[in-house]
């Protein structure tokens, strides 16, 4: 599944999202995906590639009850 589709689904559900890439202490890329909503809920996910970061993020949001 493409990470862009997950981002679209999150946006349609009322979540604002962002993605950035950082370098860890071993100089390896780490992808950080983040969502937040207007009631203050925030979720972060970290992975070596962008796809798994968004999959983990979507799973985290689905496991949250409002």
């Amino acid at each position: 599944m493409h990470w862009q589709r997950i981002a679209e689904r999150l946006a349609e559900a009322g979540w604002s999202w962002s993605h950035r890439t950082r370098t860890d202490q071993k100089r390896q890329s780490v992808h950080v995906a983040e969502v937040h909503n207007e009631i203050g809920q925030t979720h972060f996910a970290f992975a070596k590639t962008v796809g798994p970061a968004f999959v983990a993020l979507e799973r985290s949001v689905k496991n949250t009850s409002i």
Side-chain angles (χ1 to χ4, degrees):
M1 182 172 304
H2 253 219
W3 71 267
Q4 292 98 334
R5 287 189 183 182
I6 295 172
E8 287 174 8
R9 285 197 300 268
L10 291 167
E12 289 170 0
W15 295 89
S16 296
W17 64 270
S18 67
H19 166 260
R20 59 194 170 278
T21 305
R22 300 285 187 223
T23 304
D24 67 11
Q25 294 175 340
K26 296 179 182 178
R27 303 182 76 69
Q28 296 176 337
S29 294
V30 176
H31 292 268
V32 182
E34 180 259 336
V35 292
H36 65 274
N37 63 17
E38 56 188 39
I39 63 170
Q41 292 178 317
T42 303
H43 297 267
F44 291 92
F46 305 87
K48 290 184 179 184
T49 58
V50 67
F54 272 87
V55 169
L57 193 61
E58 185 176 45
R59 185 176 300 124
S60 176
V61 167
K62 284 183 179 180
N63 289 332
T64 302
S65 59
I66 298 175

